[in-house]
Amino acid sequence: LCCCEYVDRRGERNHLAACCCDCQDLDEGCERWLACGSLPPGALERIADAVADRLRVPWFAGAVKIKVSLVPPLVLLPVFLHVAALHVLLGFVVLTSLPVVVLWYYYLTHRRKERTLFFLSLGLFSLGYMYYVFLQEVVPRGRVGYSQVVALTCGLVLMLAALSRAKKDPGYLPTPASNEKSSHQGLPSSGVRGSSEGLHGVRGSSEGLHGVTASGAASGRAANGEAKGYSRMSAEEPEGVKKDWCTKCQLVRPARAGHCRLCGRCVRRLDHHCVWINSCVGEQNHQAFILALSFFMLTSVYGITLTLHTVCRGRTPFVALFYCPGAYSDYSSALSFTCVWYCAIVTAGMGYILLIQLLNISYNVTEREARLALRDNTGRRLLGGLVIDTGQYNRGFLCNWGHFLSLGSSPPQRSAEDIV
């Protein structure tokens, strides 16, 4: 492939020069629209898929597909902020409508159970653009020292490093396909054939698999899990061991694990699926997630304070945020003040998320467990409903935080949380 060629969603070779040609769904839609007719079912979805597939940029080994959800924040955020800096009323309208639009899009994607890079793109681009405005509009005024710029930059770098760690594996449980493959590769051929001196577990699993059609789905699930190498709890094992079968992944989950409907995977100690990192928060990345939120809060508050001290001199940051008469005296100050308010809104939202996370850690409860407890009416509302205490894993403040700080330090199969 040359830099402008690509293989489309139909597996056919295509070229960027012809990306606007031969779109039957779009042609039919336009004809029906001109004739005042209704579109056939699924026509808009097919047109959107075709446009998304053809939205590419030239690259060395062929044209690279662009994620459509990445584009709106890169274009709309600077435009909205510059428009908001023109007048105080425009600023009020824009800064009020932005959170509403973001919440509406979150509700839309959450209802459709879709993964999107919109929120991750919005967050990263907001950080970069706010840092750019700070260097271009605030630092040249001479009120910010070199050491303060370095401190702000270090906070931003540390936050991005923690965010990169939080984007890694949250603790996905192995899929049945990979486990079955590794199990078959590790078994001797004589044992698989069922000789008298072979492995009894494999032979028992084979007999269990044959019993699926005869004895029903329940026994079939248990035998299927044994054949694929997953830890099953037999009748001889203690009754205190919790069994949790995932019908989607076809495996037995350890205690506190959950299935993410957006990622389509089971995660150890699943807390929630975070749209801001486009990934789950689980046993392996929960600490990095809290660290990223903490660094963001410190860096954002510090940047807001430095900017308000520069734009609104002689006033404390909290007072200047609501009363700064000279903020719209020139366009540079207006843009800086608008960005401060945008950062304040985002910081307030992230601060609420961090507060809920810290309270949940203090009571050793995850967001998923709190949601299930509310649904089943099995938890207690504490601190005005900010936290739902299930009482199942709560061992006291210090023990709860000690457990959280030790997440991921030991092999998952040795976790004491597997026993309830």
Side-chain angles (χ1 to χ4, degrees), residues 42-373:
L44 292 178
E45 288 77 5
R46 291 193 297 270
I47 294 174
D49 292 340
V51 172
D53 184 59
R54 299 183 182 193
L55 188 62
R56 298 173 181 260
V57 293
W59 202 247
F60 299 104
V64 178
K65 186 177 178 180
I66 300 177
K67 296 290 185 180
V68 180
S69 56
L70 290 174
V71 178
L74 307 182
V75 177
L76 297 180
L77 182 62
V79 173
F80 283 163
L81 291 179
H82 279 276
V83 170
L86 295 176
H87 195 271
V88 62
L89 293 179
L90 289 175
F92 177 79
V93 172
V94 170
L95 294 175
T96 304
S97 61
L98 272 178
V100 175
V101 172
V102 172
L103 290 175
W104 169 81
Y105 187 72
Y106 169 76
Y107 172 76
L108 184 64
T109 54
H110 184 74
R111 186 181 61 180
R112 295 181 179 179
K113 302 179 183 179
E114 296 178 353
R115 295 188 66 181
T116 176
L117 293 173
F118 173 83
F119 299 97
L120 179 61
S121 173
L122 177 63
L124 293 178
F125 185 68
S126 296
L127 288 173
Y129 190 71
M130 295 303 105
Y131 186 69
Y132 169 78
V133 171
F134 180 79
L135 294 180
Q136 292 293 321
E137 306 294 341
V138 179
V139 175
R141 293 172 177 262
R143 301 272 302 180
V144 179
Y146 177 77
S147 60
Q148 294 172 320
V149 176
V150 172
L152 186 69
T153 305
C154 290
L156 184 63
V157 171
L158 290 175
M159 193 277 297
L160 292 176
L163 181 63
S164 175
R165 175 62 186 87
K167 281 286 295 175
K168 294 183 179 179
D169 181 17
Y172 290 122
L173 290 174
T175 57
S178 61
N179 237 320
E180 184 179 15
K181 183 178 179 181
S182 61
S183 299
H184 285 313
Q185 289 176 352
L187 290 176
S189 58
S190 59
V192 175
R193 292 174 184 174
S195 63
S196 58
E197 298 177 358
L199 297 176
H200 296 286
V202 177
R203 182 171 57 191
S205 301
S206 302
E207 293 174 0
L209 286 173
H210 288 295
V212 172
T213 56
S215 59
S219 61
R221 287 174 180 174
N224 187 31
E226 291 177 5
K228 293 180 179 179
Y230 288 100
S231 57
R232 292 280 178 171
M233 309 308 170
S234 61
E236 293 81 6
E237 292 185 342
E239 295 181 356
V241 178
K242 182 179 179 180
K243 303 178 184 179
D244 191 6
W245 172 260
C246 179
T247 58
K248 300 291 185 180
C249 298
Q250 297 293 300
L251 54 84
V252 168
R253 298 180 297 208
R256 312 193 75 175
H259 183 86
C260 177
R261 62 179 184 176
L262 297 179
C263 298
R265 297 282 300 276
C266 284
V267 182
R268 290 185 178 274
R269 199 184 178 278
L270 175 63
D271 190 86
H272 70 287
H273 182 93
C274 180
V275 296
W276 294 104
I277 64 174
N278 194 33
S279 178
C280 290
V281 177
E283 184 178 90
Q284 299 296 322
N285 68 341
H286 201 170
Q287 296 174 353
F289 179 72
I290 296 297
L291 200 61
L293 281 176
S294 302
F295 278 129
F296 171 80
M297 291 295 298
L298 294 175
T299 305
S300 180
V301 171
Y302 188 59
I304 290 174
T305 303
L306 292 178
T307 304
L308 289 177
H309 275 309
T310 303
V311 176
C312 305
R313 301 181 182 181
R315 290 181 174 84
T316 60
F318 184 78
V319 174
L321 190 62
F322 295 95
Y323 181 71
C324 185
Y328 283 84
S329 58
D330 58 276
Y331 187 77
S332 176
S333 299
L335 180 60
S336 301
F337 189 72
T338 302
C339 291
V340 162
W341 257 105
Y342 174 74
C343 289
I345 294 173
V346 176
T347 303
M350 294 301 171
Y352 176 77
I353 295 176
L354 179 60
L355 175 63
I356 297 299
Q357 287 290 312
L358 295 178
L359 291 176
N360 286 343
I361 294 171
S362 300
Y363 287 90
N364 200 1
V365 62
T366 63
E367 280 292 317
R368 174 177 175 270
E369 292 167 352
R371 185 173 63 251
L372 294 178

Side-chain angles (χ1 to χ4, degrees), residues 16 34 72 125 139 146 161 177 217 265 274 288 377-378 382 417:
L16 288 182
L34 292 175
F125 185 68
V139 175
Y146 177 77
R265 297 282 300 276
C274 180
N377 197 21
T378 58
L382 301 176
E417 294 291 349

